[in-house]
Amino acid sequence: MGRDRYPKQSLGALHGRIKQSRILMVGAGGIGCELLKNLVLTGFGEVHIVDLDTIDLSNLNRQFLFRHEHIKKSKALVAKDSASKFNPHVKLEAHHANIKDPRFNIDWFQGFDLVFNALDNLDARRHVNKMCLAADVPLIESGTTGFNGQVQVIKKVPKSFPVCTIRSTPSQPIHCIVWAKSYLFTEIFGTSEDETPELDNSEDSENAKEIENLRKESQALKEIKQSMNSPHFPRRVFEKVFRDDISRLRSMEDMWKTRKPPQALDYDAISRDASEIHLSICHQDQVTWDLAQNFSVFCESLHRLSSRLHALQVQGAAVAAPAVLTFDKDDDDTLDFVAASANLRSFVFGIEPRSKFDIKQMAGNIIPAIATTNAMTASLCVLQAFKVMREDLTKAKMVFLTRSTDRVITTDNLRPPNPNCSVCSVMQSQLHIDPARATLNDLVSDVLKDQLKYGDEFSVNSEAGTLYDPELDDNLSKSFTDLGVKSDSFLTVIDDDDENPRVNLSLSILEKPLPPSSAPILLPRKLEIARKPKIVSEAQPLLLNGTGAKRKRSPEDSVLDQEQLLKRQRGEGDDDTIAAKKARIEEDMIVLDDSSGGAIVIDDE
């Protein structure tokens, strides 16, 4: 009773809900340790901890649930044992596992009242965000970088780099690193990553002219990929990306009127300079390699990765599984390839190369963490959790920690869903299917066209690619099992209607036997899918705080102004008419709100 005395006095009736709540905390690193301590001391009834990582010596200076004897042990399991001593009445469950494992499905997420993200991996963040949206469970994002921190109830979309900047006009080392990691590596050793979240391929992002050329480049790389494991493979890849593609870019003279043009690399010349370089250079990770050294590491890592991929292809042939490699900052083979490729590209564009150690930090999104910032951020997470538990989101805030002499903590109101956002605007729903009877045609004809009244122009997409569109109807008779769609996978319906399209519909699949008398596919609830907002082609910027540029007046504006002046001189228009016009003008105003400046991408091991 004594342990609950002060929390009960502070929280009142909310304390009872907190004691009965089930909480999921993903990540047991710098923020996770502080957050778990706060959750346990506050008295949250049941807390599940998920973390795949093990404890390293470098963690001990800021992750205070761990001691020297815990090195190489599971973070989740040790955090559970250490935190349980603070409050033995709280039930703690630890999972030394990847949050993307199939057992952590939508039904599992739905069993929690609240989810906390304390992750150092952007891909895992997106996955948790997607699962929380599908499960309709509140998510509190948090993180720190140095002295800065951020807490918010709604996760912000990580920044994407325009594809024309990454692939055509890089100006910073990070541009070359993202190109090497998210484009070149995945094109050669994975599946095509034209839709990777770090690259913005949208047609309206000023990339349209370049995208078609880049697709041709991707196709050429796929053809070169067929010669993998041959003696000429490194030469073909090198000359494709560091000579031929660069020569194509140099031919675009307008692009280089205000920029220094790139310089193509000569394979034979660099190969002669690199002939005597020992492969031990790969282990000198804090030395910035020169051109020949990067070339040597590039060719050697290509051989190593090619051999690994070939072994996977032999193993996967028996089960018809695609063989792919994925980048991991702790995998020396993949890191060597990305580091060397990024630096070679830096030499091409006259950008300062970086050491393998620096590239590991940037490619793996490792940002130094400070213990006091973690502690403050974790406590702010719990304060926001109280508002979520009260179901009073109107009082929830985005909270930012900044190293400032004026004010360390600043807040901002939560934004309403943005209809143009690829995350906020998506309609989420489950789809119950009978695996023994359901076909794609049942979804297209019965559900989408008959029930939801979609027109003819739409597509159905899985994580593997497009399953249906007006020009691809070969799969309609196939079962979901044949198409590789199973429980906890997602289908996305994209409305391509030209005049009034709906927002995207994301369907999470749940396989369950349905009565023979019912349809083989069912929506568990009635859906009202919003329409995408119509884009205003010419919007006049609103002048805020007396600043802003004036729009140039067109001849039509002058004619309209003269007509309005004549009407006022004749006394036409009463007060009601003027008031109505003023109301319409206010409704049509567009306020440009750029909130990206306060977003902080947080990464802490």
Side-chain angles (χ1 to χ4, degrees):
M1 183 66 181
R3 186 182 297 273
D4 291 340
R5 176 183 176 185
Y6 294 111
K8 190 172 182 179
Q9 287 179 350
S10 301
L11 299 172
L14 180 62
H15 185 254
R17 285 196 63 193
I18 286 176
K19 291 188 68 173
Q20 299 298 321
S21 64
R22 295 183 80 245
I23 303 298
L24 170 62
M25 188 186 80
V26 188
I31 295 176
C33 284
E34 294 289 342
L35 180 57
L36 182 60
K37 175 203 69 177
N38 292 344
L39 294 173
V40 168
L41 290 176
T42 305
F44 283 85
E46 181 177 342
V47 182
H48 287 242
I49 311 124
V50 180
D51 198 307
L52 182 62
D53 205 1
T54 55
I55 299 165
D56 188 75
L57 177 64
S58 63
N59 301 146
L60 302 185
N61 71 336
R62 63 189 183 279
Q63 300 174 19
F64 300 128
L65 295 182
F66 308 142
R67 297 292 181 267
H68 194 277
E69 62 269 21
H70 297 144
I71 291 175
K72 300 303 179 184
K73 294 183 179 180
S74 162
K75 284 187 176 182
L77 296 174
V78 174
K80 170 194 170 183
D81 293 340
S82 299
S84 63
K85 298 173 184 176
F86 297 144
N87 189 348
H89 302 302
V90 173
K91 181 180 178 181
L92 298 178
E93 293 287 344
H95 308 270
H96 179 62
N98 190 333
I99 191 61
K100 298 177 72 174
D101 286 352
R103 59 180 164 138
F104 303 130
N105 55 24
I106 293 173
D107 287 339
W108 188 76
F109 270 82
Q110 287 177 333
F112 296 100
D113 299 295
L114 187 60
V115 177
F116 290 90
N117 244 354
L119 288 162
D120 65 346
N121 181 286
L122 287 178
D123 183 57
R125 286 175 183 273
R126 296 186 184 104
H127 176 78
V128 173
N129 185 46
K130 179 175 72 173
M131 298 299 285
C132 288
L133 285 172
D136 196 20
V137 177
L139 170 67
I140 295 183
E141 263 290 359
S142 63
T144 62
T145 172
F147 290 97
N148 297 328
Q150 176 189 6
V151 175
Q152 55 190 92
V153 177
I154 299 174
K155 182 174 183 262
K156 296 177 73 68
V157 181
K159 177 178 173 59
S160 64
F161 297 93
V163 66
C164 58
T165 298
I166 293 299
R167 298 190 192 172
S168 302
T169 57
S171 59
Q172 302 174 30
I174 187 62
H175 295 157
C176 298
I177 294 168
V178 173
W179 172 86
K181 171 190 169 185
S182 297
Y183 170 66
L184 186 60
F185 178 86
T186 50
E187 287 291 345
I188 297 176
F189 300 109
T191 54
S192 179
E193 286 293 322
D194 284 338
E195 297 304 323
T196 180
E198 290 175 323
L199 302 179
D200 179 7
N201 284 309
S202 57
E203 297 291 341
D204 59 350
S205 60
E206 299 181 0
N207 297 317
K209 293 182 179 179
E210 185 65 9
I211 287 175
E212 186 58 34
N213 288 326
L214 298 174
R215 286 171 179 158
K216 294 178 181 178
E217 290 182 9
S218 298
Q219 185 59 38
L221 272 177
K222 290 175 184 176
E223 294 174 1
I224 293 174
K225 189 175 177 180
Q226 302 304 316
S227 64
M228 192 176 292
N229 291 314
S230 72
H232 304 294
F233 181 59
R235 174 188 283 271
R236 294 192 66 188
V237 175
F238 184 94
E239 292 185 341
K240 167 69 177 64
V241 297
F242 298 121
R243 189 193 67 181
D244 299 345
D245 291 350
I246 302 306
S247 297
R248 179 189 66 80
L249 285 175
R250 282 184 64 95
S251 67
M252 302 178 183
E253 297 179 358
D254 291 343
M255 187 180 292
W256 310 111
K257 287 182 177 180
T258 59
R259 298 184 180 98
K260 181 182 177 181
Q263 301 296 322
L265 301 180
D266 187 309
Y267 182 92
D268 292 321
I270 303 174
S271 179
R272 288 192 294 269
D273 295 338
S275 58
E276 297 183 0
I277 293 176
H278 196 271
L279 295 179
S280 61
I281 190 65
C282 296
H283 304 298
Q284 300 179 27
D285 61 348
Q286 299 205 30
V287 175
T288 302
W289 303 329
D290 61 23
L291 179 60
Q293 290 169 332
N294 278 290
F295 175 87
S296 179
V297 175
F298 174 81
C299 295
E300 172 60 22
S301 60
L302 260 180
H303 284 302
R304 281 182 273 150
L305 291 170
S306 299
S307 300
R308 285 174 54 178
L309 186 62
H310 178 69
L312 285 177
Q313 289 170 340
V314 173
Q315 296 174 5
V319 293
V324 295
L325 299 177
T326 56
F327 174 81
D328 187 337
K329 62 182 174 62
D330 296 318
D331 183 331
D332 283 337
D333 294 344
T334 62
L335 182 60
D336 283 346
F337 177 81
V338 168
S341 301
N343 279 338
L344 288 171
R345 188 166 176 83
S346 293
F347 282 112
V348 167
F349 285 91
I351 301 170
E352 182 181 359
R354 295 299 182 95
S355 69
K356 177 180 172 180
F357 179 81
D358 290 337
I359 291 174
K360 179 178 180 178
Q361 286 188 307
M362 299 170 78
N365 300 303
I366 303 173
I367 299 175
I370 296 174
T372 50
T373 313
N374 289 337
M376 294 173 68
T377 301
S379 60
L380 290 168
C381 283
V382 177
L383 292 177
Q384 295 304 308
F386 293 157
K387 300 169 185 176
V388 175
M389 297 293 290
R390 288 192 180 100
E391 298 182 358
D392 191 2
L393 290 179
T394 58
K395 294 183 179 179
K397 301 284 186 181
M398 289 189 291
V399 187
F400 301 96
L401 300 179
T402 55
R403 192 178 184 184
S404 170
T405 57
D406 297 329
R407 190 170 185 176
V408 175
I409 297 178
T410 58
T411 63
D412 195 1
N413 293 327
L414 297 181
R415 301 288 196 277
N418 180 357
N420 292 312
C421 174
S422 60
V423 175
C424 300
S425 66
V426 175
M427 179 72 181
Q428 303 280 344
S429 177
Q430 272 196 339
L431 183 69
H432 298 172
I433 67 170
D434 188 333
R437 297 187 292 141
T439 66
L440 182 61
N441 187 60
D442 294 321
L443 171 62
V444 171
S445 298
D446 298 344
V447 175
L448 298 178
K449 290 186 176 181
D450 293 346
Q451 294 184 35
L452 299 180
K453 307 302 181 186
Y454 274 79
D456 294 328
E457 297 295 328
F458 66 88
S459 62
V460 179
N461 306 272
S462 71
E463 296 172 357
T466 301
L467 301 181
Y468 168 83
D469 65 28
E471 298 180 357
L472 177 65
D473 56 5
D474 300 343
N475 295 324
L476 287 176
S477 61
K478 295 181 180 179
S479 68
F480 282 88
T481 303
D482 293 338
L483 295 171
V485 178
K486 54 187 179 180
S487 278
D488 301 312
S489 58
F490 287 83
L491 295 178
T492 302
V493 181
I494 301 175
D495 190 356
D496 295 319
D497 183 76
D498 291 334
E499 296 183 357
N500 196 17
R502 297 171 172 83
V503 299
N504 292 353
L505 172 61
S506 179
L507 299 169
S508 57
I509 304 301
L510 176 62
E511 292 182 330
K512 58 186 299 185
L514 298 174
S517 58
S518 72
I521 292 182
L522 294 175
L523 287 170
R525 61 189 177 91
K526 185 178 179 181
L527 299 182
E528 295 291 340
I529 306 174
R531 302 281 180 170
K532 293 180 180 179
K534 293 185 178 180
I535 299 175
V536 180
S537 57
E538 294 184 11
Q540 298 183 30
L542 181 65
L543 303 185
L544 300 176
N545 298 327
T547 63
K550 293 185 178 180
R551 184 174 63 91
K552 185 177 180 180
R553 291 162 55 84
S554 66
E556 290 79 7
D557 292 333
S558 299
V559 173
L560 289 174
D561 288 350
Q562 291 174 7
E563 292 177 354
Q564 294 295 331
L565 179 61
L566 290 173
K567 287 183 178 180
R568 285 197 296 269
Q569 291 174 346
R570 293 195 299 263
E572 295 181 7
D574 52 23
D575 293 340
D576 292 338
T577 304
I578 295 172
K581 289 182 178 179
K582 182 178 179 182
R584 286 199 299 272
I585 291 172
E586 291 176 348
E587 290 175 355
D588 291 339
M589 279 184 177
I590 297 176
V591 178
L592 303 179
D593 183 9
D594 181 10
S595 60
S596 60
I600 302 169
V601 178
I602 314 99
D603 300 285
D604 174 30
E605 290 188 319

